[in-house]
């Protein structure tokens, strides 16, 4: 009321004083940025620290390690690829049209037929349906056809030492990669992958390879580039280790969503409510689900409509492979298309 600020601990100042204070703060901020830049580690310093870590923690021989890293090449195209802004955010309809296609489903059927024994074994051992395993491989690399054209060493070296935004993560993956190649007896320059270092038919990063890849055919090697049996077992193991529940549903399209459901939709794709709470709020299921099951509610946009889906525990497990509800939905719908083709094939063979 008297023209001053309302808070007792805040004092009003003249315009000149305020301007002077702003100028001082600006100069202090610039000084901080300049000092931070001066003391930021250079790529050579980061590499020296990395080599010391590998020697101290993992007993790499210093000169051998130094010569090994000298073989890595820095690729500007990798830095451009990871820094390039997304062309535009895809909605569900656009995303689905890329991954859930008749051609990709037919490729999945062919992969299933060619690897039936390994898929049956993986499903029995790990409880993960064959169609889910096949769909993951189909979405990731079109059943091994597109696994990446960069040396994994080059990719992780380039990003680890020349991409400050995520350098720490990629140096960690380089550490995992060097341990992996030593454990598996690989030539460190040979593995090929994507610009971000994802490898093989299932596109495992190095830490995932070490943690989840398995020797499913018992030949003494974990080969996810050329051995579909190991690939199938490794994908199934990944899902089992992330909590896949055998026999439980994944997702279901629903009706009855209105503005009152905005908060539960905004809560994201990790289960945050129950089926009972959703049905009590007016959500209409197509088929019955356990009332006590944990769930999330999704709103997926297409060019024509907004689709609403209930995402269950196994849906969330799929997102542990790629943290995107669009990815998980594409995997699920592709898996259902592949399963339908497989069932039709069996009926045709039986008649």
């Amino acid at each position: 009321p008297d023209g001053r600020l309302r808070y007792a601990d805040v004092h009003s100042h003249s315009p000149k004083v305020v301007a002077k204070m702003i100028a001082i703060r600006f100069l202090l901020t610039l000084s901080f940025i300049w000092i931070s830049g001066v003391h930021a580690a250079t790529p050579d310093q980061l590499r020296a620290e990395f080599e010391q870590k590998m020697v101290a923690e993992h007993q790499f021989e210093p000169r051998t390690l130094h010569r090994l890293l000298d073989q890595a090449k820095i690729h500007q195209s990798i830095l451009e690829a990871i820094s390039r802004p997304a062309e535009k955010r895809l909605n569900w309809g656009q995303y689905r049209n890329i991954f859930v296609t008749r051609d990709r489903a037919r490729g999945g059927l062919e992969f299933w037929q060619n690897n039936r024994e390994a898929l049956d074994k993986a499903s029995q051992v790990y409880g993960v349906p064959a169609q889910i395993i096949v769909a993951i491989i189909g979405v990731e690399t079109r059943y091994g056809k597109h696994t990446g054209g960069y040396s994994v060493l080059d990719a992780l070296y380039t990003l680890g030492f020349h991409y400050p935004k995520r350098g720490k993560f990629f140096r960690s993956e380089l550490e995992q990669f060097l341990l992996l190649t030593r454990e598996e007896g690989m030539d460190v320059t040979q593995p090929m992958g994507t610009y971000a270092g994802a490898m093989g038919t299932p596109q495992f990063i190095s830490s995932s390879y070490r943690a989840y890849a398995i020797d499913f055919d018992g030949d003494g090697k974990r080969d996810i580039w050329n051995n579909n049996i190991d690939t199938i077992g490794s994908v199934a193991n990944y899902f089992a280790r992330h909590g896949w529940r055998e026999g439980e549903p994944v997702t279901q399209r629903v009706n009855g969503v209105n503005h009152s459901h905005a908060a539960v939709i905004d809560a994201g794709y990790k289960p945050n409510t129950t089926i009972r709470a959703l049905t009590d709020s007016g959500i209409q299921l197509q088929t019955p689900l356990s009332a006590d099951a944990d769930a999330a509610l999704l709103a997926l946009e297409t060019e024509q409509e907004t689709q609403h889906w209930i995402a269950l525990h196994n849906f969330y497990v799929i997102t542990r492979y790629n943290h995107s509800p669009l990815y998980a939905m594409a995997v699920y719908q592709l898996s259902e298309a592949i399963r339908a083709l497989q069932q039709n094939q069996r009926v045709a063979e039986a008649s």
Side-chain angles (χ1 to χ4, degrees):
D2 60 1
R4 299 180 190 174
L5 295 175
R6 295 190 287 137
Y7 303 100
D9 57 342
V10 178
H11 302 283
S12 59
H13 300 283
S14 70
K16 288 184 178 180
V17 172
V18 171
K20 188 174 182 179
M21 291 173 64
I22 292 173
I24 291 171
R25 288 176 182 171
F26 178 71
L27 290 173
L28 287 172
T29 301
L30 287 179
S31 299
F32 176 78
I33 293 171
W34 181 81
I35 291 169
S36 299
V38 168
H39 293 287
T42 66
D44 287 344
Q45 290 170 332
L46 290 171
R47 172 170 162 171
E49 292 172 3
F50 178 82
E51 291 185 21
Q52 292 168 7
K53 173 185 173 69
M54 297 302 292
V55 170
E57 296 185 11
H58 304 298
Q59 294 74 55
F60 277 76
E61 200 283 317
R63 286 173 295 182
T64 301
L65 175 63
H66 191 81
R67 287 195 298 268
L68 183 154
L69 292 177
D70 277 344
Q71 298 178 73
K73 299 180 180 64
I74 301 167
H75 293 265
Q76 183 62 30
S77 59
I78 289 175
L79 296 171
E80 291 170 357
I82 203 163
S83 302
R84 188 180 303 125
E87 294 177 2
K88 65 175 181 178
R89 185 176 180 85
L90 299 178
N91 65 32
W92 164 235
Q94 295 162 334
Y95 196 94
R96 180 187 59 202
N97 289 341
I98 295 171
F99 294 105
V100 188
T101 65
R102 182 74 177 175
D103 182 64
R104 207 176 290 250
R106 283 196 294 261
L109 175 62
E110 181 180 358
F111 184 87
W112 193 333
Q113 292 172 330
N114 292 338
N115 299 278
R116 188 189 305 269
E117 185 176 341
L119 287 163
D120 288 346
K121 179 183 175 184
S123 294
Q124 292 167 4
V125 171
Y126 295 104
V128 183
Q131 66 266 21
I132 292 289
I133 300 170
V134 175
I136 286 284
I137 295 169
V139 169
E140 289 292 337
T141 60
R142 276 190 173 269
Y143 314 104
K145 293 187 176 78
H146 305 291
T147 58
Y150 286 104
S151 157
V152 175
L153 175 64
D154 290 355
L156 296 178
Y157 186 94
T158 297
L159 296 172
F161 300 117
H162 298 274
Y163 185 58
K165 185 176 180 180
R166 297 190 65 198
K168 183 178 180 180
F169 169 78
F170 285 108
R171 286 192 297 278
S172 175
E173 285 302 309
L174 179 59
E175 175 186 359
Q176 295 293 314
F177 178 67
L178 295 178
L179 292 171
L180 169 66
T181 53
R182 183 171 70 177
E183 292 163 355
E184 300 293 323
M186 299 176 185
D187 179 345
V188 72
T189 64
Q190 291 304 306
M192 303 295 289
T194 67
Y195 68 82
M199 296 176 281
T201 301
Q203 294 289 276
F204 279 5
I205 58 175
S206 298
S207 55
S208 292
Y209 197 132
R210 292 189 71 218
Y212 306 115
I214 63 171
D215 171 21
F216 203 42
D217 65 354
D219 68 354
K221 296 182 294 184
R222 299 184 294 173
D223 180 4
I224 61 172
W225 282 273
N226 307 302
N227 188 325
N228 283 340
I229 298 176
D230 284 357
T231 294
I232 288 165
S234 297
V235 172
N237 181 50
Y238 189 102
F239 274 84
R241 293 276 296 277
H242 283 83
W244 183 271
R245 295 175 184 168
E246 183 176 4
E248 291 193 8
V250 175
T251 184
Q252 181 184 136
R253 191 170 177 180
V254 296
N255 296 312
V257 178
N258 57 48
H259 66 276
S260 70
H261 298 103
V264 70
I265 292 172
D266 290 343
Y269 57 84
K270 184 175 183 178
N272 54 75
T273 185
T274 64
I275 295 298
R276 177 181 288 107
L278 290 171
T279 55
D280 285 349
S281 70
I283 298 296
Q284 302 161 14
L285 305 178
Q286 294 186 7
T287 57
L289 294 169
S290 170
D292 295 327
D294 294 329
L297 183 61
L298 307 179
L300 303 182
E301 303 289 340
T302 72
E303 299 298 330
Q304 294 79 31
E305 62 180 345
T306 299
Q307 299 178 1
H308 294 101
W309 295 76
I310 282 179
L312 301 162
H313 170 82
N314 280 345
F315 185 93
Y316 184 71
V317 173
I318 299 175
T319 68
R320 300 307 83 201
Y321 210 97
N322 181 314
H323 295 183
S324 162
L326 299 187
Y327 175 89
M329 188 62 74
V331 167
Y332 170 73
Q333 292 196 6
L334 179 61
S335 77
E336 289 296 286
I338 293 168
R339 183 173 65 86
L341 290 178
Q342 173 71 358
Q343 289 177 339
N344 292 340
Q345 182 75 22
R346 286 181 175 175
V347 170
E349 291 172 353
S351 60

